[in-house]
Amino acid sequence: MNLQLDENGRLRHLLTTEGIPRELLTRILDTAESFTGVIGKSVKKVPLLRGRTVINLFFEPSTRTRTTFELAAQRLSADILNIDIATSSASKGESLLDTLRNLEAMQCDAFVVRHSESGAAHFIARHVSPGVAVINAGDGRHAHPTQALLDVFTIRREKGAFEPLTVAIVGDILHSRVARSQIHALMALGTGEVRVIAPRTLLPAHIQRLGVRVYEDMDAGLDGADVVMMLRLQRERMRGALLPSEGEFFRRYGLTEQRLERTRPDAIVMHPGPINRGVEIDSAVADGPRSVILHQVTNGIAVRMAVMSMVLGGGAETAGSGREEVAS
Ligand code: CP
């Protein structure tokens, strides 16, 4: 059963980019594009989700995702509540399901969920009442679909079509829910070539089955790339010694200005954040002219507006009418 699409192929929940067809991905990106106009206006609001309630339920820390979901909900005129898990009754032993049931009893319409366990968002989606939507804001190593969507949205805005592009994803692929979600989205959108570059210890088994090319040598993997997507070393998810040292990792896989010369002259540099400067990326590159890292953050608002409006019954069509109502 496909939990996240309804019988008409519309988005009911957003749990993963895996299995989302190209047409629907494109519709999400087009809807996000329509919202970028709203974000640039002095009155940054459309009434699309007026009267709807969204709950941010973050069991793991976040700066970008939580804040941009909050801003996105506010731009759509929804009410949004942030549950502080550290001070919630979860700390007294209340189960996830009981937490959900109680929040649902407050008549909320959607949950945005981040959790350390892979599969947590699917679990919640299976247990919410009909009509309540779940958006995965990152579950364990599994998926971070809105991050991947804002990444492909940024690539489309910077580069246009996906077909001619070579995208290199570099670093801790093994623990990265972002990389997995990016690969599914990039493949579905018809990206010319998707490469992953990492030491063998940080590569998932059978990653080639997703259609990517694997490189252990960074210079070879960067050759001719149009997009370089750097990833954070996820120390909090590592068990055992997978790396000799951070210094050694930077020497072999850190993105420096010198290494960037292997890519195309107009290649862009991306990173989902948070950045570990001097571990996976040099500051001169992160803050340099080819970096679009902060554009990714800005684009996250429009993409999360698109996803929220779609799962809550708005869509590209209503996005247009709502925007006009406010802008006129
Ligand atoms: N990229 C990302 O998920 O950042 P946060 O952990 O700050 O939300």
Side-chain angles (χ1 to χ4, degrees):
M1 186 181 71
N2 191 333
L3 259 183
Q4 60 183 356
L5 303 183
D6 70 12
E7 62 280 7
N8 298 313
R10 283 191 294 253
L11 207 56
R12 176 164 146 48
H13 306 288
L14 179 65
L15 307 174
T16 168
T17 51
E18 186 175 3
I20 298 189
R22 181 179 189 154
E23 300 69 36
L24 182 52
L25 288 173
T26 303
R27 207 174 326 135
I28 297 170
L29 303 189
D30 291 345
T31 306
E33 196 63 56
S34 79
F35 283 129
T36 57
V38 178
I39 293 163
K41 294 228 175 293
S42 54
V43 179
K44 299 181 175 62
K45 280 208 177 205
V46 289
L48 270 180
L49 298 184
R50 187 180 286 155
R52 313 300 289 275
T53 303
V54 178
I55 295 190
N56 259 346
L57 198 53
F58 277 58
F59 293 84
E60 277 192 331
S62 168
T63 297
R64 282 146 288 268
T65 311
R66 200 180 87 154
T67 311
T68 50
F69 265 115
E70 193 171 345
L71 282 172
Q74 288 172 355
R75 304 280 194 260
L76 293 166
S77 307
D79 296 316
I80 180 147
L81 305 175
N82 286 298
I83 304 294
D84 182 352
I85 292 299
T87 57
S88 78
S89 290
S91 63
K92 298 181 213 162
E94 189 167 39
S95 73
L96 179 56
L97 265 187
D98 283 334
T99 303
L100 271 183
R101 300 256 181 275
N102 281 271
L103 294 172
E104 269 193 349
M106 301 171 201
Q107 310 296 313
C108 67
D109 299 292
F111 290 109
V112 177
V113 182
R114 171 169 288 190
H115 203 284
S116 58
E117 291 296 324
S118 300
H122 280 78
F123 174 82
I124 292 171
R126 276 197 300 275
H127 288 89
V128 289
S129 305
V132 175
V134 177
I135 302 173
N136 185 1
D139 63 325
R141 299 182 189 186
H142 173 239
H144 193 348
T146 58
Q147 178 67 46
L149 289 170
L150 75 86
D151 293 334
V152 293
F153 182 70
T154 303
I155 292 172
R156 192 175 81 163
R157 293 198 108 201
E158 298 287 334
K159 294 284 174 193
F162 291 94
E163 286 80 358
L165 298 181
T166 296
V167 178
I169 305 173
V170 187
D172 185 358
I173 313 286
L174 180 66
H175 301 98
S176 178
R177 54 197 179 200
V178 173
R180 250 171 284 276
S181 291
Q182 286 169 341
I183 291 167
H184 289 303
L186 287 165
M187 298 308 291
L189 288 164
T191 306
E193 187 170 304
V194 181
R195 303 174 181 171
V196 295
I197 306 172
R200 194 167 303 180
T201 50
L202 293 181
L203 281 167
H206 313 305
I207 182 89
Q208 297 89 335
R209 290 184 191 163
L210 299 181
V212 299
R213 290 185 67 174
V214 177
Y215 292 81
E216 287 184 48
D217 180 77
M218 182 150 178
D219 288 341
L222 290 181
D223 237 355
D226 300 282
V227 177
V228 184
M229 179 76 67
M230 299 305 297
L231 299 173
R232 181 175 69 87
L233 272 186
Q234 311 238 333
R235 285 283 188 201
E236 72 276 22
R237 297 188 214 285
M238 289 187 191
R239 292 192 190 94
L242 294 174
L243 292 171
S245 69
E246 286 184 351
E248 176 64 7
F249 181 80
F250 186 71
R251 199 183 61 74
R252 289 191 59 201
Y253 295 100
L255 189 61
T256 59
E257 286 181 307
Q258 192 187 8
R259 280 228 165 89
L260 199 53
E261 286 173 15
R262 309 287 302 211
T263 65
R264 289 193 185 275
D266 60 350
I268 55 171
V269 174
M270 304 178 71
H271 193 307
I275 293 173
N276 287 317
R277 293 170 184 265
V279 176
E280 68 262 356
I281 190 166
D282 193 65
S283 281
V285 178
D287 304 328
R290 304 227 231 147
S291 168
V292 296
I293 293 170
L294 294 178
H295 297 325
Q296 290 172 260
V297 178
T298 306
N299 290 337
I301 303 172
V303 166
R304 289 173 174 131
M305 286 173 79
V307 169
M308 269 196 268
S309 70
M310 290 169 85
V311 298
L312 286 172
E317 307 81 19
T318 44
S321 59
R323 189 175 68 247
E324 282 151 22
E325 189 182 319
V326 168
S328 58

